[in-house]
Amino acid sequence: MQTHVAADRLREIVAEVLEIDMAEIQVDSLFYDDLAADSLEKVEIAVRIEREFGVSVEAEDGAALSSVSAALTLLRAKGVVG
């Protein structure tokens, strides 16, 4: 999968979970600091990433998910994004 396609889908997931407009979410927006996500919403984002991309997000991976960019890094490491 191409990086920009994955980034757009990740932004859509974050927008759905946080119930905000996708235009408010940049690749480098921090879930906690910039988007005011709470810990349960971050877990929901991780669960949706698992479902959408068919990967397992381990606890330590989930803890490291601080932004869309961090999620892209995880997907690259798992071979989903080229």
Side-chain angles (χ1 to χ4, degrees):
M1 176 179 289
Q2 295 179 347
T3 300
H4 73 279
V5 173
D8 285 346
R9 184 60 194 127
L10 286 166
R11 289 177 56 234
E12 288 173 9
I13 290 169
V14 172
E16 290 168 7
V17 171
L18 301 182
E19 298 178 352
I20 59 176
D21 191 302
M22 192 171 122
E24 296 179 42
I25 305 165
Q26 302 305 314
V27 173
D28 60 349
S29 296
L30 298 173
F31 295 144
Y32 290 136
D33 296 339
D34 299 327
L35 303 175
D38 64 30
S39 58
L40 291 177
E41 289 168 327
K42 190 173 161 187
V43 168
E44 179 61 24
I45 291 167
V47 168
R48 292 205 187 183
I49 288 170
E50 287 181 324
R51 289 184 195 149
E52 177 72 22
F53 296 98
V55 297
S56 176
V57 178
E58 305 300 326
E60 61 274 5
D61 294 333
L65 289 179
S66 59
S67 64
V68 172
S69 178
L72 282 170
T73 299
L74 173 67
L75 293 175
R76 277 190 204 100
K78 295 193 176 273
V80 175
V81 176

Coordinates of all heavy atoms in Angstrom, one line a residue:
M1 N 0.8 -1.2 0.0 CA 0.0 0.0 0.0 C 0.9 1.2 0.0 O 1.9 1.3 0.7 CB -0.9 0.0 1.3 CG -1.8 1.2 1.4 SD -2.8 1.2 2.9 CE -4.0 -0.1 2.3
Q2 N 0.5 2.2 -0.7 CA 1.2 3.5 -0.8 C 1.1 4.3 0.5 O 0.0 4.3 1.1 CB 0.8 4.3 -2.0 CG 1.1 3.6 -3.3 CD 0.6 4.5 -4.5 OE1 -0.2 5.4 -4.3 NE2 1.0 4.1 -5.7
T3 N 2.1 5.0 0.8 CA 2.1 5.8 2.0 C 1.0 6.8 2.1 O 0.3 6.9 3.1 CB 3.5 6.5 2.2 OG1 4.5 5.5 2.3 CG2 3.5 7.3 3.5
H4 N 0.8 7.5 1.0 CA -0.3 8.6 1.1 C -1.7 8.0 1.3 O -2.5 8.6 1.9 CB -0.2 9.5 -0.1 CG -0.7 9.0 -1.4 ND1 0.1 8.2 -2.2 CD2 -1.8 9.1 -2.0 CE1 -0.5 7.8 -3.2 NE2 -1.7 8.3 -3.2
V5 N -1.9 6.8 0.7 CA -3.2 6.1 0.8 C -3.4 5.7 2.3 O -4.5 5.9 2.9 CB -3.3 4.9 -0.1 CG1 -4.6 4.1 0.1 CG2 -3.3 5.4 -1.6
A6 N -2.3 5.1 2.8 CA -2.4 4.7 4.2 C -2.6 5.9 5.2 O -3.3 5.8 6.1 CB -1.1 3.9 4.6
A7 N -1.9 7.0 4.9 CA -2.0 8.2 5.7 C -3.4 8.7 5.7 O -3.9 9.1 6.7 CB -1.0 9.2 5.3
D8 N -4.0 8.8 4.5 CA -5.4 9.2 4.4 C -6.3 8.3 5.2 O -7.2 8.8 5.9 CB -5.8 9.4 3.0 CG -5.2 10.6 2.3 OD1 -4.6 11.4 2.9 OD2 -5.2 10.6 1.0
R9 N -6.1 7.0 5.1 CA -7.0 6.1 5.8 C -6.8 6.3 7.3 O -7.8 6.2 8.1 CB -6.8 4.7 5.3 CG -7.8 3.7 6.0 CD -9.2 4.0 5.6 NE -10.1 3.3 6.5 CZ -11.1 3.8 7.2 NH1 -11.4 5.1 7.2 NH2 -11.8 3.1 8.0
L10 N -5.6 6.4 7.7 CA -5.3 6.6 9.2 C -6.0 7.9 9.7 O -6.6 7.9 10.7 CB -3.8 6.6 9.4 CG -3.1 5.3 9.4 CD1 -1.6 5.5 9.3 CD2 -3.5 4.4 10.5
R11 N -5.9 9.0 8.9 CA -6.5 10.2 9.3 C -8.0 10.0 9.3 O -8.7 10.6 10.2 CB -6.2 11.3 8.3 CG -4.7 11.8 8.4 CD -4.3 12.8 7.4 NE -5.1 14.0 7.4 CZ -5.8 14.5 6.3 NH1 -5.6 13.9 5.1 NH2 -6.5 15.6 6.4
E12 N -8.6 9.3 8.4 CA -10.1 9.0 8.5 C -10.4 8.2 9.8 O -11.4 8.6 10.4 CB -10.5 8.2 7.3 CG -10.5 8.9 6.0 CD -10.8 8.0 4.8 OE1 -11.1 6.8 5.0 OE2 -10.6 8.5 3.7
I13 N -9.6 7.2 10.1 CA -9.9 6.5 11.4 C -9.8 7.4 12.6 O -10.7 7.3 13.4 CB -8.8 5.3 11.5 CG1 -9.1 4.2 10.4 CG2 -8.9 4.7 12.9 CD1 -8.0 3.2 10.3
V14 N -8.8 8.2 12.6 CA -8.7 9.1 13.8 C -9.8 10.1 13.8 O -10.4 10.3 14.9 CB -7.3 9.9 13.7 CG1 -7.2 11.0 14.8 CG2 -6.2 8.9 13.9
A15 N -10.2 10.6 12.7 CA -11.4 11.5 12.6 C -12.7 10.9 13.1 O -13.4 11.5 13.9 CB -11.6 12.1 11.2
E16 N -12.9 9.6 12.7 CA -14.1 8.9 13.2 C -14.1 8.7 14.7 O -15.1 8.9 15.3 CB -14.1 7.5 12.4 CG -14.5 7.6 11.0 CD -14.2 6.3 10.2 OE1 -13.9 5.3 10.8 OE2 -14.3 6.4 9.0
V17 N -12.9 8.2 15.2 CA -12.8 7.9 16.6 C -13.0 9.2 17.4 O -13.7 9.2 18.4 CB -11.5 7.2 17.0 CG1 -11.3 7.1 18.5 CG2 -11.5 5.8 16.3
L18 N -12.3 10.2 17.0 CA -12.3 11.5 17.8 C -13.5 12.4 17.5 O -13.7 13.4 18.1 CB -11.0 12.2 17.6 CG -9.8 11.5 18.0 CD1 -8.5 12.4 17.8 CD2 -9.8 11.0 19.5
E19 N -14.3 12.0 16.5 CA -15.4 12.7 16.0 C -15.1 14.2 15.7 O -15.7 15.1 16.2 CB -16.6 12.7 17.1 CG -17.1 11.3 17.3 CD -18.1 11.1 18.3 OE1 -18.4 12.1 19.0 OE2 -18.7 10.0 18.5
I20 N -14.0 14.3 14.9 CA -13.6 15.6 14.4 C -13.5 15.6 12.9 O -13.5 14.5 12.3 CB -12.3 16.1 15.0 CG1 -11.2 15.1 14.8 CG2 -12.5 16.3 16.5 CD1 -9.8 15.5 15.3
D21 N -13.4 16.7 12.3 CA -13.2 16.8 10.8 C -11.8 16.3 10.4 O -10.8 16.7 11.1 CB -13.4 18.3 10.4 CG -13.5 18.4 8.9 OD1 -12.5 18.0 8.2 OD2 -14.5 18.9 8.4
M22 N -11.7 15.6 9.4 CA -10.4 15.0 9.0 C -9.4 16.2 8.6 O -8.2 16.0 8.8 CB -10.6 14.1 7.8 CG -9.4 13.3 7.4 SD -9.8 12.1 6.1 CE -8.7 12.5 4.9
A23 N -9.9 17.3 8.2 CA -9.1 18.4 7.8 C -8.3 18.9 9.0 O -7.2 19.6 8.9 CB -9.9 19.6 7.3
E24 N -8.7 18.6 10.3 CA -8.0 19.1 11.5 C -6.8 18.2 11.8 O -6.0 18.5 12.7 CB -9.0 19.0 12.7 CG -10.2 20.0 12.6 CD -11.1 19.9 13.8 OE1 -10.6 19.8 14.9 OE2 -12.3 20.0 13.6
I25 N -6.7 17.1 11.1 CA -5.7 16.1 11.4 C -4.6 16.1 10.4 O -4.8 15.9 9.2 CB -6.3 14.7 11.5 CG1 -7.5 14.7 12.5 CG2 -5.2 13.6 11.9 CD1 -8.3 13.4 12.3
Q26 N -3.4 16.4 10.9 CA -2.2 16.4 10.0 C -1.4 15.1 10.3 O -1.6 14.5 11.4 CB -1.3 17.6 10.3 CG -2.0 18.9 10.0 CD -2.6 19.0 8.7 OE1 -2.0 18.7 7.7 NE2 -3.9 19.5 8.6
V27 N -0.5 14.7 9.5 CA 0.2 13.5 9.7 C 1.0 13.6 11.0 O 1.2 12.6 11.7 CB 1.1 13.2 8.5 CG1 2.1 12.0 8.8 CG2 0.3 12.9 7.3
D28 N 1.5 14.8 11.3 CA 2.3 14.9 12.5 C 1.5 15.4 13.7 O 2.1 15.7 14.8 CB 3.5 15.8 12.2 CG 3.1 17.2 11.8 OD1 1.9 17.4 11.5 OD2 4.0 18.1 11.7
S29 N 0.2 15.5 13.6 CA -0.6 15.9 14.8 C -0.5 14.8 15.9 O -0.7 13.6 15.6 CB -2.1 16.0 14.4 OG -2.3 17.0 13.5
L30 N -0.2 15.3 17.1 CA -0.1 14.4 18.2 C -1.5 14.1 18.8 O -2.3 15.0 19.0 CB 0.8 15.0 19.3 CG 2.2 15.3 18.9 CD1 2.9 16.0 20.0 CD2 2.9 14.0 18.6
F31 N -1.8 12.8 19.0 CA -3.1 12.4 19.5 C -3.5 13.1 20.8 O -4.6 13.6 20.9 CB -3.2 10.9 19.7 CG -3.1 10.1 18.4 CD1 -2.4 8.9 18.4 CD2 -3.6 10.6 17.2 CE1 -2.3 8.1 17.2 CE2 -3.4 9.9 16.0 CZ -2.8 8.6 16.0
Y32 N -2.6 13.1 21.8 CA -2.9 13.7 23.0 C -2.8 15.2 23.0 O -3.8 16.0 23.4 CB -2.0 13.2 24.2 CG -2.3 11.8 24.6 CD1 -1.2 10.9 24.7 CD2 -3.6 11.3 24.7 CE1 -1.4 9.6 25.1 CE2 -3.8 9.9 25.1 CZ -2.7 9.1 25.3 OH -2.9 7.8 25.7
D33 N -1.7 15.8 22.6 CA -1.4 17.2 22.7 C -2.2 18.0 21.7 O -2.7 19.1 22.0 CB 0.1 17.5 22.6 CG 0.9 16.8 23.7 OD1 0.3 16.6 24.7 OD2 2.1 16.7 23.5
D34 N -2.3 17.6 20.4 CA -2.9 18.4 19.4 C -4.4 18.1 19.2 O -5.1 19.0 18.8 CB -2.1 18.2 18.1 CG -0.7 18.6 18.1 OD1 -0.4 19.6 18.9 OD2 0.1 18.0 17.4
L35 N -4.7 16.8 19.4 CA -6.1 16.4 19.0 C -7.0 16.1 20.3 O -8.1 15.7 20.1 CB -6.1 15.2 18.1 CG -5.3 15.4 16.8 CD1 -5.2 14.1 16.0 CD2 -5.9 16.5 16.0
A36 N -6.4 16.2 21.5 CA -7.1 16.1 22.7 C -7.7 14.7 22.9 O -8.8 14.5 23.5 CB -8.1 17.2 22.9
A37 N -7.1 13.7 22.3 CA -7.6 12.3 22.5 C -7.3 11.9 23.9 O -6.4 12.3 24.6 CB -6.8 11.4 21.5
D38 N -8.2 10.9 24.4 CA -7.9 10.4 25.7 C -7.4 8.9 25.5 O -7.3 8.5 24.4 CB -9.1 10.4 26.6 CG -10.3 9.6 26.1 OD1 -10.1 8.6 25.4 OD2 -11.5 10.0 26.4
S39 N -7.1 8.3 26.6 CA -6.4 6.9 26.5 C -7.4 5.9 25.9 O -6.9 5.0 25.1 CB -5.9 6.5 27.8 OG -7.0 6.4 28.8
L40 N -8.7 6.0 26.1 CA -9.6 5.0 25.6 C -9.7 5.3 24.1 O -9.8 4.3 23.3 CB -11.0 5.1 26.2 CG -11.0 4.6 27.7 CD1 -12.4 4.9 28.2 CD2 -10.6 3.2 27.8
E41 N -9.7 6.5 23.6 CA -9.8 6.8 22.2 C -8.5 6.3 21.5 O -8.6 5.8 20.4 CB -10.0 8.3 22.0 CG -11.4 8.8 22.4 CD -11.5 10.3 22.5 OE1 -10.5 11.0 22.8 OE2 -12.6 10.8 22.2
K42 N -7.4 6.4 22.2 CA -6.1 5.9 21.6 C -6.2 4.4 21.4 O -5.8 3.9 20.4 CB -5.0 6.3 22.4 CG -3.6 6.1 21.8 CD -2.5 6.7 22.6 CE -1.2 6.0 22.2 NZ -0.1 6.4 23.0
V43 N -6.8 3.7 22.4 CA -6.9 2.3 22.3 C -7.9 1.9 21.1 O -7.6 1.0 20.3 CB -7.5 1.7 23.6 CG1 -7.9 0.2 23.4 CG2 -6.4 1.8 24.7
E44 N -8.9 2.7 21.0 CA -9.9 2.5 19.8 C -9.2 2.7 18.5 O -9.4 2.0 17.5 CB -11.1 3.4 20.0 CG -12.1 3.2 18.9 CD -12.7 1.8 18.7 OE1 -12.7 1.1 19.7 OE2 -13.2 1.5 17.6
I45 N -8.3 3.7 18.4 CA -7.6 3.9 17.2 C -6.7 2.7 16.9 O -6.6 2.2 15.8 CB -6.7 5.2 17.3 CG1 -7.6 6.5 17.3 CG2 -5.7 5.3 16.2 CD1 -6.9 7.7 17.8
A46 N -6.0 2.2 17.9 CA -5.2 1.0 17.7 C -6.0 -0.2 17.2 O -5.6 -0.9 16.3 CB -4.4 0.7 19.0
V47 N -7.2 -0.4 17.8 CA -8.0 -1.5 17.4 C -8.5 -1.4 16.0 O -8.5 -2.3 15.2 CB -9.3 -1.6 18.4 CG1 -10.3 -2.5 17.8 CG2 -8.8 -2.0 19.8
R48 N -8.8 -0.2 15.6 CA -9.3 0.1 14.2 C -8.1 -0.1 13.2 O -8.3 -0.5 12.1 CB -9.9 1.5 14.1 CG -11.2 1.5 14.8 CD -12.1 2.5 14.3 NE -13.3 2.7 15.1 CZ -14.2 3.5 14.8 NH1 -14.2 4.2 13.7 NH2 -15.3 3.7 15.6
I49 N -6.9 0.3 13.6 CA -5.7 0.0 12.8 C -5.6 -1.5 12.6 O -5.3 -1.9 11.4 CB -4.5 0.7 13.4 CG1 -4.5 2.2 13.3 CG2 -3.2 0.1 12.7 CD1 -3.5 2.9 14.0
E50 N -5.7 -2.2 13.6 CA -5.6 -3.7 13.5 C -6.6 -4.2 12.5 O -6.3 -5.0 11.6 CB -5.9 -4.4 14.8 CG -4.7 -4.2 15.8 CD -5.0 -4.9 17.1 OE1 -6.2 -5.0 17.6 OE2 -4.1 -5.5 17.7
R51 N -7.9 -3.8 12.6 CA -8.9 -4.3 11.7 C -8.7 -3.8 10.3 O -8.9 -4.6 9.3 CB -10.3 -3.8 12.2 CG -10.8 -4.4 13.4 CD -12.2 -3.9 13.8 NE -12.5 -4.2 15.1 CZ -13.3 -3.5 15.9 NH1 -13.8 -2.4 15.4 NH2 -13.6 -3.9 17.1
E52 N -8.4 -2.6 10.1 CA -8.3 -2.0 8.8 C -7.1 -2.5 8.0 O -7.2 -2.8 6.8 CB -8.2 -0.5 8.9 CG -8.0 0.3 7.6 CD -9.2 0.3 6.7 OE1 -10.3 0.1 7.2 OE2 -9.1 0.4 5.5
F53 N -6.0 -2.7 8.7 CA -4.7 -3.1 8.0 C -4.3 -4.5 8.2 O -3.3 -5.0 7.7 CB -3.6 -2.1 8.4 CG -3.9 -0.7 8.0 CD1 -4.4 0.2 8.9 CD2 -3.6 -0.3 6.7 CE1 -4.6 1.5 8.5 CE2 -3.8 1.0 6.3 CZ -4.4 1.9 7.2
G54 N -5.1 -5.3 9.0 CA -4.8 -6.7 9.2 C -3.5 -7.0 9.9 O -2.8 -7.9 9.6
V55 N -3.2 -6.1 10.9 CA -1.9 -6.3 11.7 C -2.3 -6.4 13.1 O -3.4 -6.0 13.6 CB -1.0 -5.1 11.5 CG1 -0.5 -5.0 10.0 CG2 -1.6 -3.8 12.0
S56 N -1.4 -6.9 13.9 CA -1.5 -7.0 15.3 C -0.8 -5.8 15.9 O 0.4 -5.6 15.6 CB -0.9 -8.3 15.9 OG -1.0 -8.3 17.3
V57 N -1.4 -5.1 16.8 CA -0.8 -3.9 17.5 C -0.6 -4.4 18.9 O -1.5 -4.4 19.7 CB -1.7 -2.7 17.4 CG1 -1.0 -1.5 18.2 CG2 -1.9 -2.3 15.9
E58 N 0.6 -4.7 19.3 CA 1.0 -5.2 20.6 C 0.9 -4.0 21.6 O 0.9 -2.8 21.2 CB 2.4 -5.8 20.6 CG 2.6 -6.9 19.7 CD 1.6 -8.1 19.9 OE1 1.3 -8.4 21.1 OE2 1.3 -8.7 18.9
A59 N 0.8 -4.3 22.9 CA 0.7 -3.2 23.9 C 1.8 -2.2 23.7 O 1.5 -1.0 23.8 CB 0.7 -3.8 25.3
E60 N 3.0 -2.6 23.6 CA 4.1 -1.6 23.5 C 4.0 -0.8 22.2 O 4.4 0.4 22.1 CB 5.5 -2.3 23.6 CG 5.8 -3.3 22.5 CD 5.3 -4.7 22.8 OE1 4.6 -4.9 23.8 OE2 5.6 -5.6 22.0
D61 N 3.5 -1.4 21.1 CA 3.3 -0.7 19.8 C 2.2 0.4 20.0 O 2.3 1.5 19.6 CB 2.9 -1.6 18.7 CG 4.0 -2.6 18.3 OD1 5.2 -2.2 18.5 OD2 3.7 -3.7 17.8
G62 N 1.1 -0.1 20.7 CA 0.0 0.9 21.0 C 0.4 2.0 21.8 O 0.0 3.2 21.6
A63 N 1.3 1.8 22.8 CA 1.8 2.9 23.7 C 2.6 3.9 22.9 O 2.6 5.0 23.2 CB 2.6 2.3 24.8
A64 N 3.3 3.4 21.8 CA 4.1 4.3 21.0 C 3.3 5.0 19.9 O 3.9 5.9 19.3 CB 5.2 3.4 20.3
L65 N 2.1 4.7 19.8 CA 1.2 5.4 18.8 C 0.9 6.8 19.3 O 0.0 7.0 20.1 CB -0.1 4.7 18.5 CG 0.1 3.4 17.7 CD1 -1.3 2.7 17.5 CD2 0.7 3.6 16.4
S66 N 1.7 7.8 18.9 CA 1.5 9.2 19.4 C 0.9 10.1 18.3 O 0.4 11.1 18.6 CB 2.8 9.7 19.9 OG 3.7 9.7 18.8
S67 N 0.9 9.6 17.0 CA 0.5 10.4 15.9 C 0.2 9.5 14.7 O 0.5 8.3 14.7 CB 1.5 11.4 15.5 OG 2.7 10.7 15.1
V68 N -0.4 10.1 13.7 CA -0.6 9.4 12.4 C 0.8 8.9 11.9 O 1.0 7.8 11.4 CB -1.3 10.2 11.4 CG1 -1.4 9.5 10.0 CG2 -2.8 10.5 11.9
S69 N 1.8 9.8 12.0 CA 3.1 9.5 11.6 C 3.7 8.2 12.3 O 4.3 7.4 11.7 CB 4.0 10.7 11.8 OG 5.4 10.4 11.4
A70 N 3.5 8.2 13.6 CA 3.9 7.0 14.3 C 3.2 5.7 13.9 O 3.8 4.6 13.8 CB 3.7 7.2 15.8
A71 N 1.9 5.9 13.6 CA 1.1 4.7 13.1 C 1.7 4.3 11.7 O 1.8 3.1 11.4 CB -0.3 5.1 13.0
L72 N 2.0 5.2 10.8 CA 2.6 4.9 9.5 C 4.0 4.2 9.7 O 4.3 3.2 9.0 CB 2.9 6.2 8.7 CG 1.6 6.7 8.0 CD1 2.0 8.1 7.4 CD2 1.1 5.8 7.0
T73 N 4.8 4.6 10.7 CA 6.0 3.9 11.0 C 5.8 2.5 11.4 O 6.5 1.6 11.0 CB 6.8 4.7 12.1 OG1 7.1 6.0 11.6 CG2 8.1 4.0 12.5
L74 N 4.8 2.3 12.2 CA 4.4 0.9 12.7 C 4.0 0.1 11.5 O 4.4 -1.1 11.3 CB 3.3 1.0 13.7 CG 2.7 -0.4 14.1 CD1 3.7 -1.2 14.9 CD2 1.4 -0.2 15.0
L75 N 3.2 0.6 10.6 CA 2.7 -0.1 9.4 C 3.9 -0.4 8.5 O 3.9 -1.5 7.9 CB 1.6 0.7 8.7 CG 0.3 0.8 9.5 CD1 -0.7 1.7 8.7 CD2 -0.3 -0.6 9.8
R76 N 4.8 0.5 8.4 CA 6.0 0.2 7.6 C 6.8 -0.9 8.2 O 7.3 -1.8 7.4 CB 6.9 1.4 7.5 CG 6.5 2.4 6.4 CD 7.6 3.5 6.2 NE 7.0 4.7 5.7 CZ 6.6 5.8 6.3 NH1 6.8 5.9 7.6 NH2 6.0 6.8 5.7
A77 N 7.0 -0.9 9.5 CA 7.7 -2.0 10.2 C 7.0 -3.3 10.0 O 7.7 -4.4 10.0 CB 7.9 -1.6 11.7
K78 N 5.7 -3.3 9.8 CA 5.0 -4.6 9.7 C 4.8 -5.0 8.2 O 4.2 -5.9 7.9 CB 3.6 -4.5 10.4 CG 3.8 -4.4 11.9 CD 2.5 -4.6 12.6 CE 2.8 -4.5 14.1 NZ 3.2 -5.8 14.7
G79 N 5.4 -4.2 7.3 CA 5.4 -4.5 5.9 C 4.1 -4.2 5.2 O 3.9 -4.6 4.0
V80 N 3.2 -3.4 5.8 CA 1.9 -3.0 5.2 C 2.1 -1.9 4.2 O 1.5 -1.8 3.2 CB 0.9 -2.7 6.3 CG1 -0.4 -2.2 5.6 CG2 0.7 -3.9 7.2
V81 N 2.9 -0.9 4.6 CA 3.1 0.3 3.8 C 4.5 0.2 3.2 O 5.5 -0.1 3.9 CB 3.0 1.6 4.6 CG1 3.3 2.8 3.9 CG2 1.6 1.7 5.2
G82 N 4.6 0.6 1.9 CA 5.9 0.5 1.2 C 6.7 1.8 1.3 O 6.3 2.8 1.8

